[in-house]
């Protein structure tokens, strides 16, 4: 399409973006005005999509990492035939609208990921490109490139400053993700003012140090934009960065090039002047017929592109039956019923080790289980022997060495899950969940099946000391909505936890696992619950008739509580022992079930967990007690720590006795 | 000193490090063996310190960012005269020893910061160099360089991979922190195996893109080490990176150059072979007399260096009386009694705005209050008009534009506090506390006076939507030991919160502030508590005689609860209203005080907070109720959100009525 026509579309995008922000009286006009040209060229000339089927599996992915510029993408989606009406644009940032302040995955057709927290869109894009490359390497056959698309992302100065951009761009360069193309909206402005207040990186050099291909263009010159993308597409052994020099708030006579255009409406008068300046109609929410005629061509072309792909895909399925069926089930997210191992009682095993054994089984059954670790593979026990390592030379590998990049790993796993066709899991020490916390939150917000393997889950890791000992992390993760945390007490609860995580299609799960050995409870003998019931979150593990005390424990502290029960029994005190690997799952049960486990009239309750107590007041109430650890840990062998910090059967017993005396 | 002598010292360091790890049967020998040469040259030839006064204010700072290599620094501190005995080395990683698994600030003389979580030591070092430059620019006078030292850090491949290294090194380069010298221990090995599994950055080029000076040396060649440091010292307008090519586990015949030497003891046999190979005594924990003779020279020189400085400092205090007194009080951390403003009732003001007004007053009184924001200055309202911006051209500025680098800001603020002489505070949106969470944890663990200004503290921020709305963050931060969170209900509680934060010398404080306006309560009339009592964490704000219901609220929800009280009063229900800006401070009060606010027999309690409920079960018990928000927010004007999510006076009333019916 000629440059003039493209400018018309871009200016329509600008007009809509201005109007959306003005009407909401809230939002960010600067980015849409600045990046309208680049994104119009991309949508019109390059991007492979079919607006009538936004979930076409082989579509190009597009991520707006600077989610605050959401009116840009809403305007484009509207113009390019997605199911976003003009009325939706008018409802920008309003209750229940499909045009929220920042783009939200699942809320709006064509939105590939939720963005806003800077740097993470970039991480998601890296994950999408990674997923594409793994699937392509595993499933494409000569002449049948059934998985073959690009991933595009737009990032701004903020994205470039965030540390996670370093992690994921270094990762992408190392792994030669050639089909990742990132536009850097370099406009020299941040919220505080000119970028040079805080930022003077030579970004070209920086990305070359990561082994990216870098181009620099004028982001308002359509020819340069088009040519740079075409060139980037030909470079298959490196990701591409296209540095687009742009003017923030482009077109606004008094605010262009200034931070004033970033995060507030232009104002009625300036909006009017801007439209005049751009030579577009002063009418609000206006799209000239001519523009719809122009964009319609791309819509029709998109339909044709999917049809062409479907033809190839059908031929593929005919010719390579087994792969076809497998790939189809991956695309449709049909997970067969996965088998998990059963562990014999009597042995003693760290839950990280039983987790490792479960992973072995799962990887055998589900080929696109994409594992990894942030450089703690031997400690996290995350690699199945069957998994080959993903590397620039072997992109069919399904085990990812993420490097010491926890946050990056979290964001990349979100991208893998968003892309689909793969199920990601990744490991690190539990304490470093802090580094990736925002990515966990985003997985929960988006409802992504991402699985975290968090090992070394308490002071039980011993000598490494308080910097490595999570004490508050269980309580801190339990408050993230839609995240399920499971801290299993033994090998069989670990296996059940993995099953829950794999089956959970609408949110992330964290598995919180020990470094130290734990006995596998004999569920066939001794009065223990004869299945794990982990899926209930909490259940009666064993109990004495006419019990008067309820002990609640999780993970490694169940063993301590069981020992306390024995000691209490000797004193004639009868006990119900509740294993509660997941408070979130327990909370989801019926009132009736919950009351059956923790009867309202049984208020002599003690919770035991080697961490801060905040979680447990909900379950023990004002009359109950908590044997926890409301301080940082220390460096010493773990048996010493448990003793010194009073996380012992004896301490549980004395707590019970004191409580009973009070009651 | 000649290279042979230096080798002898380095090999002694190696022997001690091996022995420490062997005896503990836990630890990391690879780093000490690999970096013994570099660190010996640094300690012996370069570093300005006086082991007899580890807190000499103008000492050079040394940070071992890879804290797992702690035996390296413990061995050096022992050899160079710090108060670490051989018995302490033998107690490596044991309960209550001063040689914990990772170096811990305050536990061991000569340890400048707690390290272990990778990347953050580097961030601390940047903060220390920043503090030095600010103090130097403000207090040095011609001929009296009273603040004039270098900051050295050692970082490894893990540090280089972590995103925070990008944030802080970009920051340091931008700000031309010329007296920061970083050694990069480039040994090509990480836990998962060879670094090239996940990492292939051209680190030289990367740091050049940040405008650092970069040298590459053989880390086992003492002359190269010495010359590179001397050269780095002469480059005053750029930070320096010295890339030291080293062999991990140097000297170990079978494990050198392999990940096997990283994180486990060498084993008795290999330890023996290594010592043989290095030509040192097989005796454990052995220091040849000759080595002590060598290191003693540096000890004596250190004493002389401090003496020389003291002489200059005294002359400075004589000549520049006012500056002398001011600087002395900064060094000694004597904070005068700071005045905070009082706000008149009746006005309505966002707590972020009242915080801004408090900052104005504090900055006038305390010159080395070093403020900043992660690129949200106008939103966080963190800059006092009196504060000049810190920049490469004006290092006397006390307001830092941290850029969009929250984690980096957190780590740099820790470095500022560790250095001393300044009090750091920094702002971002509350939701992005997730990005810097590990730095907050480290501040709490180290007991540092760091102040976080977290604004936009709930769904009250409105249209930006769930990516920007903290719902779980209060609960999540309240579980970090030694962190105090304060969420003030109005301008006067905000002022009190600032006072608490400034006075709190042994830990960080987070101020959790609204975007939206809140009424300033009239504490002189209407029966309200006539002082804020914020320091108690929770207090009776107002009450009806013979109340039967307790309402507990924080921040913006106190206003809602107060409105609910009026409605309840109309129904004849009498209420005690408790403002609880800080659960942590409340928990620290006596049992008697706490019971006076929340009497044991008053169990009709309702807590109101626009966030997840986890915190509040502790205060309302099993019979109480919580009006909270156990889900993510949404994009819409905030008044709509409060209504739709049931955070209203009416909802509080209906909750109370249901509760009373049940009771």
């Amino acid at each position: 399409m000629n440059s003039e026509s493209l400018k018309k579309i871009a200016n329509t995008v600008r007009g809509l973006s201005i109007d959306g922000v003005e009407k909401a009286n809230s939002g960010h006009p600067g980015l849409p005005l600045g990046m309208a040209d680049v994104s119009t060229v991309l949508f019109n000339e390059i991007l492979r999509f079919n607006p009538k089927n936004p979930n076409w599996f082989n579509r190009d992915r597009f991520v707006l990492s600077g989610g605050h510029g959401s009116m840009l993408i809403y305007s484009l989606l509207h113009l390019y035939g997605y199911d976003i009406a003009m009325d939706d644009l008018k409802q920008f940032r309003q209750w229940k609208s499909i045009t929220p302040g920042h783009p939200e995955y699942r809320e709006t057709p064509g939105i590939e990921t939720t963005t806003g927290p800077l740097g993470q869109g970039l991480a998601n894009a890296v994950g999408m490109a990674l997923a594409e490359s793994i699937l392509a390497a595993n499933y494409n056959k000569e002449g049948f490139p059934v998985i073959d698309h690009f991933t595009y992302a737009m990032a701004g100065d903020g994205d470039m400053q965030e540390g996670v951009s370093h992690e994921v761009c270094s990762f992408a360069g190392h792994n030669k993700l050639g089909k990742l193309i990132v536009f850097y909206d370099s406009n020299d402005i941040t919220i505080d003012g000119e970028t040079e207040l805080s930022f003077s990186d030579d970004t070209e050099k920086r990305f070359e140090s990561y082994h990216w291909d870098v181009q620099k263009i004028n982001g308002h010159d359509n020819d340069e934009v088009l040519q740079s993308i075409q060139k980037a597409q030909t470079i298959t052994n490196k990701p591409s960065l296209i540095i687009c020099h742009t003017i923030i708030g482009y077109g606004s006579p008094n605010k262009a090039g200034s931070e004033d255009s970033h995060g507030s409406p232009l104002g009625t008068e300036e909006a009017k002047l801007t439209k005049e300046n751009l030579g577009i109609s002063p009418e609000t929410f206006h799209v000239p017929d001519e523009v719809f005629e122009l964009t319609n061509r791309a819509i029709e072309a998109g339909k044709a592109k999917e049809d062409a792909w479907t033809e190839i895909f059908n031929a593929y399925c005919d010719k390579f039956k087994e792969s076809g069926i497998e790939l189809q089930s991956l695309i449709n997210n049909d997970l067969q019923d996965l088998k998990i191992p059963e562990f014999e009682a009597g042995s003693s095993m760290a839950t990280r080790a039983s987790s490792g054994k479960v992973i072995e089984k799962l990887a055998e059954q589900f080929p696109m289980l994409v594992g990894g670790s942030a450089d703690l593979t031997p400690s996290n026990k995350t690699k199945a022997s069957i998994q080959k390592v993903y590397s620039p030379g072997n992109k069919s590998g399904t085990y990812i060495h993420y490097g010491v990049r926890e946050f990056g790993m979290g964001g990349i796993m979100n991208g893998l899950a968003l892309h689909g066709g793969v199920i990601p899991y990744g490991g690190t020490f539990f304490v470093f969940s802090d580094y990736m916390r925002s990515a966990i939150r985003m997985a929960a917000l988006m409802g992504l099946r991402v699985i975290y393997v968090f090992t070394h889950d308490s002071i039980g890791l011993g000598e490494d000391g308080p910097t490595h000992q999570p004490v508050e992390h269980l309580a801190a993760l339990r408050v993230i909505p839609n995240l399920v945390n499971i801290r299993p007490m033994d090998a069989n609860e670990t296996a059940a936890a993995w099953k829950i995580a794999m089956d959970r299609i609408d949110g992330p799960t964290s598995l919180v696992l020990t470094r130290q050995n734990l006995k596998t409870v004999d569920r066939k003998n001794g009065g223990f619950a004869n299945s794990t019931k982990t899926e209930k979150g909490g259940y009666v593990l064993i109990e004495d008739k006419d019990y008067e005390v309820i002990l609640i424990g999780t993970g490694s502290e169940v063993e301590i509580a069981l020992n306390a029960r024995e000691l209490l029994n000797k004193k004639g005190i009868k006990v119900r022992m509740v294993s509660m690997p997941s408070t979130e799952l327990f909370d989801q049960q019926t009132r009736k079930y919950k009351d059956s486990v923790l009867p309202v009239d049984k208020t002599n309750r003690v919770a035991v967990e080697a961490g801060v107590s905040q979680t447990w007041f909900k379950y023990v109430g004002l009359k109950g007690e908590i044997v926890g650890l409301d301080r940082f840990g220390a460096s010493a062998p773990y048996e010493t720590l448990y003793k010194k910090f009073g996380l012992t059967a004896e301490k549980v017993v004395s707590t019970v006795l004191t409580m009973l005396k009070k009651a």
Side-chain angles (χ1 to χ4, degrees), chain A:
Chain A
M1 193 177 285
N2 65 46
S3 193
E4 205 190 330
S5 300
L6 288 170
K7 280 280 168 209
K8 278 186 187 145
I9 304 173
N11 283 338
T12 304
V13 167
R14 290 191 171 101
L16 295 174
S17 299
I18 290 171
D19 295 339
V21 173
E22 287 301 313
K23 179 149 195 298
N25 195 24
S26 164
H28 301 74
L31 193 162
L33 293 176
M35 287 300 278
D37 295 316
V38 173
S39 55
T40 299
V41 173
L42 180 67
F43 266 69
N44 205 79
E45 306 291 301
I46 300 282
L47 208 64
R48 289 159 49 93
F49 62 93
N50 176 8
K52 301 308 162 200
N53 179 15
N55 297 322
W56 169 30
F57 196 73
N58 199 43
R59 70 194 180 277
D60 286 340
R61 305 307 198 264
F62 173 70
V63 173
L64 181 70
S65 194
H68 55 277
S70 54
M71 269 310 300
L72 175 70
I73 190 163
Y74 298 147
S75 303
L76 286 162
L77 294 174
H78 173 69
L79 293 179
Y80 283 94
Y82 285 83
D83 195 8
I84 297 187
M86 191 60 92
D87 274 347
D88 294 318
L89 297 186
K90 293 179 183 169
Q91 287 299 304
F92 181 50
R93 297 188 152 226
Q94 303 309 306
W95 177 253
K96 292 281 182 203
S97 83
I98 64 169
T99 50
H102 290 79
E104 291 181 33
Y105 179 66
R106 292 187 199 275
E107 300 295 323
T108 317
I111 298 298
E112 302 282 2
T113 177
T114 302
T115 50
L118 292 175
Q120 290 193 68
L122 210 42
N124 301 160
V126 171
M128 292 172 188
L130 178 63
E132 194 266 354
S133 79
I134 295 172
L135 289 166
N138 279 281
Y139 292 97
N140 286 355
K141 310 277 182 191
E142 181 128 12
F144 296 88
V146 286
I147 307 293
D148 180 19
H149 67 78
F150 285 89
T151 300
Y152 299 92
M154 276 186 190
D157 290 307
D159 293 294
M160 288 300 167
Q161 291 185 60
E162 289 288 1
V164 68
S165 73
H166 166 61
E167 298 183 10
V168 303
C169 294
S170 166
F171 177 93
H174 174 81
N175 285 300
K176 302 189 196 299
L177 296 178
K179 290 161 89 177
L180 173 66
I181 299 175
V182 175
F183 304 92
Y184 165 29
D185 176 17
S186 179
N187 60 32
D188 300 326
I189 291 295
T190 64
I191 293 174
D192 276 5
E194 292 179 22
T195 308
E196 65 180 14
L197 279 176
S198 58
F199 186 58
S200 50
D201 290 1
D202 179 340
T203 300
E204 179 180 11
K205 201 170 195 176
R206 177 185 165 209
F207 275 72
E208 284 171 357
S209 85
Y210 301 149
H211 315 295
W212 285 51
D213 184 73
V214 183
Q215 302 178 63
K216 284 168 125 169
I217 63 161
N218 172 354
H220 300 300
D221 180 319
N222 290 333
D223 292 335
E224 285 192 30
V225 175
L226 183 62
Q227 284 156 21
S228 68
I229 305 175
Q230 286 167 339
K231 185 184 160 218
Q233 289 182 329
T234 66
I235 296 166
T236 55
N237 64 339
K238 290 179 170 191
S240 283
L241 183 73
I242 302 175
I243 302 179
C244 309
H245 289 287
T246 65
I247 297 166
I248 192 170
Y250 180 96
S252 162
N254 299 301
K255 296 191 172 178
S258 152
E259 65 273 20
D260 295 341
S261 70
H262 168 80
S264 316
L266 294 179
T268 318
E269 181 58 21
E270 186 68 12
K272 191 172 141 252
L273 292 175
T274 304
K275 287 185 181 178
E276 257 173 52
N277 191 32
L278 292 169
I280 58 177
S281 159
E283 209 180 316
T284 59
F285 295 103
H286 176 69
V287 179
D289 292 342
E290 184 191 357
V291 164
F292 270 134
E293 278 158 30
L294 294 170
T295 57
N296 265 326
R297 295 184 217 167
I299 301 172
E300 281 159 33
K303 171 85 173 66
K305 280 172 199 159
E306 183 176 357
D307 289 347
W309 176 82
T310 307
E311 208 164 297
I312 295 176
F313 186 68
N314 289 341
Y316 173 94
C317 291
D318 275 355
K319 189 156 179 193
F320 311 101
K321 289 220 158 45
E322 204 173 326
S323 296
I325 291 169
E326 197 169 291
L327 185 52
Q328 228 152 0
S329 81
L330 292 173
I331 291 174
N332 299 334
N333 205 7
D334 297 333
L335 205 56
Q336 70 266 53
D337 188 29
L338 298 169
K339 304 278 175 297
I340 50 171
E342 203 171 316
F343 293 89
E344 284 301 309
S347 66
S348 201
M349 198 189 300
T351 48
R352 65 172 168 150
S354 28
S355 165
K357 289 183 191 292
V358 180
I359 291 171
E360 290 282 353
K361 285 280 171 237
L362 292 173
E364 284 167 15
Q365 297 170 73
F366 188 72
M368 288 297 104
L369 185 65
V370 174
S373 166
D375 196 44
L376 287 168
T377 300
S379 301
N380 299 146
K381 306 207 179 291
T382 29
K383 188 175 172 303
S385 46
I386 199 180
Q387 287 170 329
K388 298 277 178 296
V389 169
Y390 181 91
S391 73
N394 179 17
K395 299 204 169 185
S396 68
T398 53
Y399 190 81
I400 315 292
H401 285 292
Y402 285 103
V404 189
R405 305 181 179 108
E406 298 81 7
F407 193 7
M409 177 173 75
I412 291 171
M413 287 201 291
N414 289 350
L416 290 170
L418 286 161
H419 183 282
V422 300
I423 298 179
Y425 71 88
T428 185
F429 286 157
F430 191 32
V431 81
F432 298 131
S433 61
D434 279 350
Y435 274 57
M436 61 193 296
R437 187 171 168 91
S438 186
I440 299 173
R441 178 176 213 260
M442 293 304 288
L445 179 57
M446 289 191 265
L448 302 180
R449 175 163 48 192
V450 172
I451 303 168
Y452 309 104
V453 180
F454 290 135
T455 69
H456 297 61
D457 72 346
S458 72
I459 52 166
L461 68 84
E463 290 91 340
D464 271 345
T467 56
H468 283 58
Q469 290 164 354
V471 293
E472 75 275 30
H473 297 73
L474 275 163
L477 288 179
R478 284 172 180 147
V479 294
I480 297 180
N482 197 35
L483 172 66
V484 166
N485 299 279
I486 312 180
R487 186 170 187 245
M489 59 166 280
D490 70 354
N492 285 312
E493 266 197 7
T494 306
W498 260 105
K499 177 99 170 91
I500 293 163
M502 292 291 289
D503 287 344
R504 194 161 182 256
I505 56 166
D506 56 357
T509 306
S510 93
L511 308 176
V512 180
L513 307 170
T514 64
R515 176 185 187 227
Q516 73 272 32
N517 285 343
L518 302 179
K519 277 187 210 139
T520 305
V521 160
D522 187 347
R523 290 176 193 276
K524 287 171 187 148
N525 301 295
F528 288 95
N530 62 8
S531 80
T532 72
K533 295 191 195 162
T534 309
E535 70 282 1
K536 297 277 191 194
Y539 61 94
V540 179
L541 179 65
I542 191 166
E543 67 181 350
D544 307 316
K545 203 165 172 256
D546 303 325
Y547 67 91
E548 54 187 316
V549 171
I550 301 179
L551 297 182
I552 310 170
T554 78
S556 42
E557 284 71 71
V558 173
E559 201 169 301
I560 291 171
L562 286 172
N563 292 338
R565 173 177 164 257
E566 283 184 23
L567 297 174
L568 288 165
N569 283 175
K570 282 185 193 153
K571 292 179 190 295
I573 297 168
K574 292 170 181 169
V575 173
R576 164 179 277 194
M577 177 69 220
V578 171
S579 173
M580 198 176 291
S582 174
T583 56
E584 301 90 319
L585 292 177
F586 185 71
D587 287 349
Q588 289 169 18
Q589 306 309 314
T590 61
R591 181 80 266 158
K592 193 176 155 196
Y593 177 79
K594 286 188 279 191
D595 286 348
S596 79
V597 176
L598 301 175
V600 181
D601 59 336
K602 299 285 190 184
T603 55
N604 292 324
R605 304 176 186 178
V606 177
V608 197
E609 189 171 73
V612 306
S613 46
Q614 197 192 59
T615 312
W616 295 105
F617 293 96
K618 180 173 186 178
Y619 305 98
V620 303
L622 293 177
K623 291 185 181 163
E625 295 287 343
I626 298 158
V627 177
L629 186 64
D630 287 298
R631 54 156 288 174
F632 289 112
S635 171
Y638 84 90
E639 302 89 339
T640 308
L641 294 175
Y642 267 85
K643 218 156 127 177
K644 296 287 184 184
F645 289 134
L647 286 151
T648 59
E650 291 71 25
K651 181 63 196 288
V652 175
V653 169
S654 68
T655 304
V656 167
L657 295 179
T658 312
M659 182 180 65
L660 290 178
K661 207 173 287 176
K662 265 202 258 174

